[in-house]
Amino acid sequence: MTSLLGTPVVLPNGTVISNRLVKAATSEGLSDSENHATSRLVTLYERWARSGAGLILSGNIQVDRWHLERPSNVVLSDETGLDRLAAVAAAATSGGSAFWAQLSHTGRQVSDLINPEPLSSSDVDIDVPRGLGLTFAKPKAMTEADIARAIAQFATAAGLAQKAGFTGVQFHAAHGYLISQFLSPLSNRRTDRWGGSLENRSRLLLEVMAAVREAVGPDFPIGMKLNASDFQKGGFTNAECIALVGLLNDSSLDLLELSGGSLEQPKVVGISVKDEGADAIPASTRKREAYFVEFAAAVRAAANMPVLVTGGFRSAQGMIEAIQNGDLDLVGMARPFIADPEIARKLISGEIDTAPTPEKTLEIGHLMQWFSVQIDRMGDGLMPDRTLEGAAASEQFVNLETGYMTALLEQRGHERSVAA
């Protein structure tokens, strides 16, 4: 029965993805203080290269060093450190998987310790749930010059990723990052050609797509991660997503990944902390295990390119049913690849029928920290420790992030002193 998961998918440009399972992007946090790739990142992707996934997506690779999701993100803005990133690409493709660089600009979603003056579509503060331990500065509305620079940064990063040996790129337009900030009426209050109507709010996304295509040429695969919905009252809706896909059909996009939510509404991990607005689905009427599959079929029906859905898939049966029902073409998983780095091979072969779910034993506040610590272990060549308790993982994560932040700020202080 699981043989369907092992069948290939052909992208519009002719690229073949060898099977239906995708290691979705997961923030690794394994750069050095200059935001270059490290040997630990190579070790991590050597392990995932043996996962059996048809496609592996990198974690956030930032296009702007002042807009980081974490202090230890890799930044790809010039050729400095490109040889190290090439080693990561070689490791990730060593098992036959495709390996795409996920390119991102955080906009306002950057710690105020890293950037006290972040850029965004408008000067609207981010409203994050309490208890995350994160603080953000009020963003500055981007000027025309800022927007042009951001578009160029995506294109530059895409060209560099291609040069480093990645087999494709995906740009991040979901989860409340910069492009998503332009799409959402909640964060985009502009009255110029970049705000207001959906056509205007999606202009940045479409121009990034065009610039990236020009940078990498016609044959290199380009993917995009888009919210099926922000699941936030007044935000980007599923109806707008479907309309936007109609515009994307005129582009050369090769793969559309659907996810949902943001740091303000962490729906991607199955949590809602705000009114979900027009796209709320009562738990009593939810039919399938994945968070966004209810919305995927309508998007896929409107799309000319294959659709990947990430978020909540755990059982082979659920994955197969979603493919057979025409809801999607590929299944993305993130946390299962951390809990079991060989999960794709096992699901495709039928060795197991359900992905491990250690998160069921964890408190919500410990969830992301637990998985981050497991990635850190794999970077050291260790297997995930499923016996690790949530509180202990949270403490380890805080210590790790504090160390990374200290190293980053010291490095930048050194750069300023040298420049002076």
Side-chain angles (χ1 to χ4, degrees):
M1 184 178 182
T2 54
S3 60
L4 178 59
L5 299 179
T7 59
V9 172
V10 181
L11 303 184
N13 72 346
T15 296
V16 178
I17 304 299
S18 62
N19 63 59
R20 305 299 183 110
L21 298 184
V22 178
K23 199 291 290 180
T26 51
S27 178
E28 310 103 346
L30 295 177
S31 80
D32 62 17
S33 61
E34 295 180 285
N35 300 110
H36 297 151
T38 62
S39 60
R40 298 178 72 219
L41 200 58
V42 172
T43 299
L44 173 67
Y45 279 98
E46 284 175 341
R47 188 174 295 279
W48 275 332
R50 302 191 295 271
S51 68
L55 170 62
I56 298 171
L57 293 168
S58 79
N60 270 325
I61 295 177
Q62 304 298 346
V63 303
D64 186 316
R65 68 192 300 258
W66 296 102
H67 288 85
L68 306 180
E69 167 251 341
R70 293 171 67 183
S72 49
N73 283 152
V74 170
V75 174
L76 190 52
S77 57
D78 56 39
E79 294 202 8
T80 306
L82 195 63
D83 56 337
R84 301 188 198 176
L85 197 56
V88 177
T93 55
S94 63
S97 300
F99 183 42
W100 293 10
Q102 185 186 79
L103 306 177
S104 182
H105 188 304
T106 65
R108 65 181 184 172
Q109 277 187 185
V110 53
S111 165
D112 56 2
L113 294 176
I114 296 172
N115 191 340
E117 294 185 310
L119 299 175
S120 185
S121 51
S122 301
D123 61 348
V124 178
D125 283 315
I126 185 171
D127 180 19
V128 297
R130 294 180 180 179
L132 291 182
L134 302 172
T135 54
F136 304 91
K138 188 179 184 67
K140 296 183 0 181
M142 296 174 76
T143 64
E144 285 280 348
D146 292 329
I147 294 171
R149 181 170 182 267
I151 294 168
Q153 286 174 316
F154 276 99
T156 296
L160 291 169
Q162 184 181 36
K163 185 174 183 178
F166 286 84
T167 63
V169 293
Q170 179 196 68
F171 64 95
H172 205 326
H175 296 174
Y177 292 118
L178 180 66
I179 298 175
S180 180
Q181 289 160 31
F182 271 81
L183 288 174
S184 172
L186 289 175
S187 50
N188 185 347
R189 309 286 177 80
R190 302 178 74 99
T191 57
D192 60 5
R193 68 192 185 108
W194 304 97
S197 66
L198 177 62
E199 179 183 4
N200 284 353
R201 285 182 279 120
S202 61
R203 191 181 305 278
L204 176 62
L205 180 152
L206 295 172
E207 294 206 7
V208 166
M209 176 68 215
V212 168
R213 175 55 72 200
E214 183 175 358
V216 300
D219 300 324
F220 197 68
I222 299 176
M224 182 185 70
K225 189 166 192 169
L226 180 68
N227 275 356
S229 170
D230 287 351
F231 297 100
Q232 194 169 344
K233 187 175 181 180
F236 180 72
T237 65
N238 184 243
E240 289 187 316
C241 175
I242 295 169
L244 177 53
V245 167
L247 299 177
L248 287 167
N249 285 336
D250 294 328
S251 72
S252 58
L253 185 68
D254 293 299
L255 180 62
L256 174 65
E257 180 182 7
L258 295 177
S259 190
S262 66
L263 199 59
E264 291 185 320
Q265 178 80 313
K267 189 72 173 177
V268 73
V269 292
I271 303 169
S272 292
V273 295
K274 299 177 184 292
D275 187 337
E276 293 190 8
D279 295 325
I281 298 179
S284 59
T285 63
R286 186 176 298 280
K287 296 180 180 179
R288 283 163 282 180
E289 62 188 44
Y291 308 141
F292 312 116
V293 74
E294 282 90 350
F295 303 97
V299 175
R300 186 176 184 269
N304 289 343
M305 71 292 296
V307 171
L308 158 68
V309 176
T310 298
F313 278 110
R314 294 296 180 267
S315 71
Q317 181 180 355
M319 299 171 197
I320 290 169
E321 286 179 356
I323 296 170
Q324 290 176 332
N325 291 338
D327 298 327
L328 49 88
D329 300 282
L330 297 109
V331 174
M333 294 181 288
R335 285 175 282 171
F337 277 90
I338 300 171
D340 184 347
E342 296 183 10
I343 186 65
R345 177 186 60 77
K346 292 177 180 179
L347 286 170
I348 290 170
S349 68
E351 180 179 337
I352 62 174
D353 58 14
T354 303
T357 53
E359 60 261 40
K360 288 186 176 181
T361 66
L362 300 171
E363 294 181 13
I364 289 175
H366 296 154
L367 197 60
M368 299 311 295
Q369 292 93 329
W370 191 91
F371 284 99
S372 293
V373 169
Q374 305 300 346
I375 287 177
D376 199 76
R377 285 179 57 85
M378 286 194 284
D380 289 331
L382 303 172
M383 284 296 288
D385 177 9
R386 293 189 204 168
T387 67
L388 181 65
E389 294 185 355
S394 183
E395 183 179 357
Q396 288 184 39
F397 176 80
V398 169
N399 290 336
L400 287 167
E401 287 296 284
T402 300
Y404 289 135
M405 183 69 79
T406 299
L408 177 73
L409 297 180
E410 286 179 351
Q411 171 64 30
R412 295 194 172 179
H414 172 71
E415 292 174 6
R416 285 192 293 270
S417 67
V418 170

